[in-house]
Amino acid sequence: MAPDFQFSEEPGHHLRWRTVECCHTCSYYYVGKDKTFGFGTSIPFGMTARQMNAWIYYGGGQKLLDDFYSDYNVLSFAGGNTGTQMGGWWRKEVKTVADLKGVKMRIAGLGGTVFSALGVVPQQVAGGDIYPALEKGTIDAAEWVGPYDDEKLGFYKVAKNYYYPGWWEPGPVIHFFVNKAEWAKLPKEYQEAFRAAAFEANVTMMAEYDHKNPAALAKLMQSGVKVREFSSEILKATSKAAAELYADESSKNPAFKKIFTEYDKYRRTQSAWFSLAERRMDGFLQTGK
Ligand code: CA
């Protein structure tokens, strides 16, 4: 399953010194070091799983990411996705932007930065400590992944409002990172076997989540969970705060600006396409309207 914990070092640290030759993780755990690490995984209001695959495999994303990672001596291979995540577990309902003020939420990375612009107080809490913190009220809300992973950790027992969508993670990619010098040592056949295995992991993780989430969601709903949609007011305000963050970061971080410019252009072309057949078909199939 998707790893979801904090690292104090960038992926290049261990790979650069070759403590390990390879790892499977999310680049966005390192946004504290450089916000540019967000793009490889997911940025708030960014691209979905399918759109990330299109960007990475065909839209120039692979090269942009690897150019950035080359400063850390690593190569990247997409190796899984959770799909759009849920918006987490909230002890109290939030309907307006005013309701967000002072809410202590376990949320990491750029999503936390965006939320903090609207008064949420992001908290860094490791996976195993979220449940007791939520139970005691040390935190008021916590986000994790989606029904399958969330149900296992039992958050529904201590916070009944389960929001969607997790706008901070529209389609987070989990990557394999490989030390460049170690990669170069591999025989060509091994490189190809690795590449094929990464493709397989990329497809099967998403399929496994799509398979397991419906049953977990049904179980959660039977436990009295209130599934709620974030209001348009909250989505519009957070999306505006995200755009402001991207403009601000682009003005002072050339690496961020370089990828954001291309990423955002690509996302817009994807939205234009997905807004037609996919959107209408999904909408009708799921609601009958
Ligand atoms: Ca998450």
Side-chain angles (χ1 to χ4, degrees), residues 125-136 153-158:
V125 184
D129 298 331
I130 301 174
Y131 183 92
L134 205 52
E135 185 180 33
K136 284 185 208 131
L153 293 187
F155 303 135
Y156 64 94
K157 294 174 197 157
V158 288

Side-chain angles (χ1 to χ4, degrees), residues 96-127:
T96 64
V97 171
D99 293 340
L100 297 173
K101 198 158 179 54
V103 171
K104 294 193 290 284
M105 180 179 194
R106 183 272 174 194
I107 178 168
L110 299 180
T113 308
V114 169
F115 248 155
S116 68
L118 300 168
V120 169
V121 187
Q123 309 283 310
Q124 306 283 342
V125 184

Side-chain angles (χ1 to χ4, degrees), residues 4 28-29 82 85-86 106-108 143-146 168-169 172:
D4 203 335
Y28 70 179
Y29 290 127
T82 67
Q85 295 199 0
M86 289 293 279
R106 183 272 174 194
I107 178 168
E143 76 86 31
W144 186 239
V145 182
W168 46 91
E169 288 167 285

Side-chain angles (χ1 to χ4, degrees), residues 94 162-165 227-232 235:
V94 282
Y162 194 22
Y163 274 89
Y164 67 90
V227 176
R228 302 187 192 281
E229 195 172 277
F230 279 128
S231 64
S232 288
L235 289 179

Side-chain angles (χ1 to χ4, degrees), residues 1-285:
M1 285 299 104
D4 203 335
F5 38 78
Q6 304 300 313
F7 288 93
S8 57
E9 305 289 350
E10 82 279 7
H13 179 81
H14 291 292
L15 295 171
R16 182 187 293 166
W17 304 111
R18 304 190 211 171
T19 316
V20 293
E21 294 86 12
C22 167
C23 67
H24 188 228
T25 188
C26 296
S27 64
Y28 70 179
Y29 290 127
Y30 314 102
V31 292
K33 194 158 283 284
D34 186 330
K35 289 188 173 61
T36 314
F37 276 112
F39 294 110
T41 312
S42 198
I43 61 168
F45 297 98
M47 290 191 270
T48 61
R50 276 180 57 187
Q51 294 167 352
M52 283 300 286
N53 280 339
W55 182 59
I56 289 171
Y57 292 143
Y58 293 99
Q62 183 75 52
K63 182 169 182 340
L64 284 166
L65 293 175
D66 281 348
D67 283 352
F68 172 65
Y69 297 141
S70 74
D71 288 347
Y72 298 87
N73 289 335
V74 298
L75 293 168
S76 71
F77 302 83
N81 204 301
T82 67
T84 306
Q85 295 199 0
M86 289 293 279
W89 299 87
W90 298 63
R91 285 161 61 97
K92 287 187 188 149
E93 255 188 274
V94 282
K95 292 177 179 166
T96 64
V97 171
D99 293 340
L100 297 173
K101 198 158 179 54
V103 171
K104 294 193 290 284
M105 180 179 194
R106 183 272 174 194
I107 178 168
L110 299 180
T113 308
V114 169
F115 248 155
S116 68
L118 300 168
V120 169
V121 187
Q123 309 283 310
Q124 306 283 342
V125 184
D129 298 331
I130 301 174
Y131 183 92
L134 205 52
E135 185 180 33
K136 284 185 208 131
T138 316
I139 55 173
D140 308 301
E143 76 86 31
W144 186 239
V145 182
Y148 176 69
D149 289 322
D150 292 5
E151 196 267 338
K152 283 192 295 185
L153 293 187
F155 303 135
Y156 64 94
K157 294 174 197 157
V158 288
K160 291 288 178 199
N161 300 291
Y162 194 22
Y163 274 89
Y164 67 90
W167 46 262
W168 46 91
E169 288 167 285
V173 181
I174 293 88
H175 270 95
F176 292 99
F177 292 101
V178 183
N179 174 279
K180 280 171 93 170
E182 296 294 335
W183 176 260
K185 284 190 213 162
L186 286 178
K188 200 102 192 112
E189 294 81 357
Y190 283 32
Q191 289 183 348
E192 286 312 308
F194 188 98
R195 211 183 284 281
F199 280 132
E200 182 178 321
N202 202 28
V203 171
T204 54
M205 187 190 290
M206 187 69 260
E208 190 178 356
Y209 271 119
D210 283 339
H211 174 70
K212 290 182 169 172
N213 277 329
L217 178 64
K219 204 168 155 190
L220 288 169
M221 290 179 85
Q222 279 163 17
S223 313
V225 165
K226 305 276 183 240
V227 176
R228 302 187 192 281
E229 195 172 277
F230 279 128
S231 64
S232 288
E233 180 185 323
I234 287 176
L235 289 179
K236 280 180 189 166
T238 46
S239 144
K240 185 165 170 275
E244 284 164 8
L245 171 71
Y246 301 146
D248 178 57
E249 189 64 21
S250 294
S251 73
K252 55 192 186 198
N253 181 344
F256 185 95
K257 185 181 180 184
K258 181 184 168 193
I259 301 187
F260 180 72
T261 306
E262 296 303 318
Y263 178 102
D264 199 50
K265 208 189 298 172
Y266 198 78
R267 185 190 62 75
R268 286 167 197 275
T269 65
Q270 288 288 302
S271 285
W273 159 233
F274 273 79
S275 69
L276 302 179
E278 293 282 350
R279 184 190 61 82
R280 187 68 188 111
M281 199 71 258
D282 275 350
F284 188 84
L285 289 171

